[in-house]
Amino acid sequence: MKLNTVEAVKAAQNQRGGIEIDYLDDEIIQRAIIPINRMMDFSAR
Amino acid sequence: MTKVVTLAHYYTIPEVQQMADKVGDSLQLALYAKECNADVIVFAGVRFMAETAKMVNPKARVILPDLGSTCSLVTMTNINQLKKWRESYPDHVHVAYINSSAEHKALADWTVTSSNVEDIIAHLYAQGKKVIYSPDRNMGAYLNFQYGYDMPLWSAVCEVHDKFNKQALDELINSLTLPHFLISHPESPLPVLKQSDYIGSTAGLLNWIKAYSGDIKAVILVATEDGILYQMQVPGRTWISARRQFILAVNVIRAHI
């Protein structure tokens, strides 16, 4: 967490730094979202 | 105009928490990421948290400020080995802690956070299910001990929490002349957890502090990442000296590593 410096967060807010999470494989997302949604639905009860 | 929303985990430094639109634990931030109407989400946390935000809100661009921000629970886990391990328990439900990669979650039936893990696993056992738990060995060992489960466990740890150790804790406690309490995150090792007055998620630890009405001079030992100490300041209460004790406690535990 310490790598989240003020400077790094500011650069990300201005979209001049950081890494965009755009590398996830669609097939992985489709499978991974199932257990995540199951948890979120459970917690919303 | 582009709407940028900044999310920060309780474990980030205070200055970053002050920059955020929402500060929370893993579950709170995932729920917020799903519902927030943002074009861009800046996620001040670790990589798997930003990946979860992207998966629950695919329309938003999600940006992690630093690529290197990860966790040993991810780096200690080989996905091919995990897949074989999971396949060796075909009649079990695979519950994965949310502190895991997207590829890891894709091999799970449920994800959990430290806020809901006890309820979800109790729910599964109540249904007669058999459960395997990954990746956090310490949290799994605690659940097996506390509730008498027999879950096979994957063996990875959060290196920050795993460094808290009973010997250092005993030395610290023996040196204290004031009353004390130990509150711990369940990623800590079982011998530390067995000695704790309270065990809970980051949000749970904060709630414990907010509800605390005992001796103001008591030393509260906090076994988790020290970023949370910022949120433990309670307005209207004389916590200044007590907060020094929190920091002292955490640093002393770490100094014995």
Side-chain angles (χ1 to χ4, degrees), chain A residues 23-45:
Chain A
Y23 52 80
L24 295 173
D25 184 87
D26 282 345
E27 189 252 341
I28 293 292
I29 293 174
Q30 293 306 315
R31 287 166 46 207
I33 197 67
I34 293 170
I36 294 171
N37 283 338
R38 207 168 262 152
M39 173 193 75
M40 295 178 106
D41 291 345
F42 181 93
S43 292
R45 290 179 194 170

Side-chain angles (χ1 to χ4, degrees), chain A residues 31-40 43, chain B residues 26-27 30 48 52 55 73-74 77 79 82-83 85-86 92-118 120-121 124-125 130-137 139-140 143 151-156 187:
Chain A
R31 287 166 46 207
I33 197 67
I34 293 170
I36 294 171
N37 283 338
R38 207 168 262 152
M39 173 193 75
M40 295 178 106
S43 292
Chain B
S26 297
L27 179 62
F48 59 75
T52 299
M55 288 189 280
L73 286 168
V74 173
T77 298
I79 293 299
L82 179 77
K83 187 168 186 289
W85 178 76
R86 197 277 168 267
H92 284 60
V93 175
H94 179 197
V95 176
Y97 189 32
I98 201 165
N99 294 15
S100 55
S101 67
E103 291 81 3
H104 189 135
K105 293 182 179 78
L107 294 172
D109 299 299
W110 286 77
T111 59
V112 292
T113 72
S114 53
S115 294
N116 58 28
V117 60
E118 288 165 288
I120 287 176
I121 291 181
L124 293 171
Y125 271 96
K130 292 190 284 188
V131 178
I132 57 172
Y133 187 74
S134 69
D136 193 307
R137 181 185 69 214
M139 192 181 290
L143 293 164
M151 297 185 294
L153 308 176
W154 184 252
S155 189
E187 290 177 28

Side-chain angles (χ1 to χ4, degrees), chain A residues 1-4 6 9-10 12-13 15 17-21 23 28 31-33 35-36 38-40 42-43, chain B residues 6 15-16 19 30 44-45 47 49 51 55 61-65 67-68 105-106 109-111 116 120 226:
Chain A
M1 297 280 182
K2 299 289 188 281
L3 293 174
N4 289 286
V6 170
V9 174
K10 277 184 182 171
Q13 287 174 326
Q15 296 171 67
I19 178 171
E20 182 168 358
I21 308 297
Y23 52 80
I28 293 292
R31 287 166 46 207
I33 197 67
I36 294 171
R38 207 168 262 152
M39 173 193 75
M40 295 178 106
F42 181 93
S43 292
Chain B
T6 301
E15 293 82 359
V16 165
M19 296 167 68
R47 186 166 168 171
M49 296 177 186
E51 290 176 348
M55 288 189 280
R61 293 182 64 207
V62 177
I63 298 176
L64 181 69
L67 177 61
K105 293 182 179 78
D109 299 299
W110 286 77
T111 59
N116 58 28
I120 287 176
D226 55 8

Side-chain angles (χ1 to χ4, degrees), chain B residues 3-249:
Chain B
K3 181 181 177 185
V4 179
V5 169
T6 301
L7 309 182
H9 195 275
Y10 285 131
Y11 290 162
T12 55
I13 61 174
E15 293 82 359
V16 165
Q17 294 185 39
Q18 290 163 9
M19 296 167 68
D21 298 291
K22 171 75 177 175
V23 181
D25 65 9
S26 297
L27 179 62
Q28 291 166 339
L29 295 179
L31 290 167
Y32 193 86
K34 185 178 183 180
E35 301 299 331
C36 76
N37 186 25
D39 300 303
V40 177
I41 296 173
V42 173
F43 206 119
V46 293
R47 186 166 168 171
F48 59 75
M49 296 177 186
E51 290 176 348
T52 299
K54 179 65 180 178
M55 288 189 280
V56 300
N57 190 344
K59 290 182 180 176
R61 293 182 64 207
V62 177
I63 298 176
L64 181 69
D66 192 297
L67 177 61
S69 190
T70 186
C71 173
S72 57
L73 286 168
V74 173
T75 58
M76 289 176 71
T77 298
N78 176 292
I79 293 299
N80 288 332
Q81 290 176 3
L82 179 77
K83 187 168 186 289
K84 288 178 185 171
W85 178 76
R86 197 277 168 267
E87 289 170 350
S88 69
Y89 296 99
D91 57 345
H92 284 60
V93 175
H94 179 197
V95 176
Y97 189 32
I98 201 165
N99 294 15
S100 55
S101 67
E103 291 81 3
H104 189 135
K105 293 182 179 78
L107 294 172
D109 299 299
W110 286 77
T111 59
V112 292
T113 72
S114 53
S115 294
N116 58 28
V117 60
E118 288 165 288
D119 289 342
I120 287 176
I121 291 181
H123 167 75
L124 293 171
Y125 271 96
Q127 291 184 324
K129 308 284 189 188
K130 292 190 284 188
V131 178
I132 57 172
Y133 187 74
S134 69
D136 193 307
R137 181 185 69 214
N138 286 337
M139 192 181 290
Y142 162 67
L143 293 164
N144 279 345
F145 169 79
Q146 185 70 16
Y147 298 103
Y149 300 147
D150 55 356
M151 297 185 294
L153 308 176
W154 184 252
S155 189
V157 294
C158 165
E159 62 187 0
V160 173
H161 290 85
D162 196 54
K163 286 174 181 170
F164 301 138
N165 68 83
K166 188 175 185 316
Q167 182 184 349
L169 185 63
D170 287 342
E171 289 174 13
L172 172 64
I173 288 173
N174 289 337
S175 72
L176 295 175
T177 55
L178 294 169
H180 62 271
F181 296 92
L182 172 64
I183 62 174
S184 305
H185 191 279
E187 290 177 28
S188 305
L190 186 58
V192 172
L193 296 175
K194 283 181 178 177
Q195 227 170 316
S196 299
D197 297 286
Y198 174 77
I199 299 163
S201 66
T202 45
L205 297 176
L206 286 171
N207 288 336
W208 188 94
I209 290 291
K210 286 173 184 168
Y212 177 77
S213 59
D215 188 344
I216 195 67
K217 293 178 183 173
V219 178
I220 313 295
L221 310 176
V222 183
T224 194
E225 292 206 33
D226 55 8
I228 197 174
L229 300 174
Y230 171 63
Q231 292 285 338
M232 287 184 168
Q233 300 175 81
V234 180
R237 186 178 285 165
T238 309
W239 274 111
I240 297 172
S241 61
R243 184 162 180 269
R244 286 200 192 103
Q245 296 280 27
F246 293 152
I247 296 168
L248 174 65

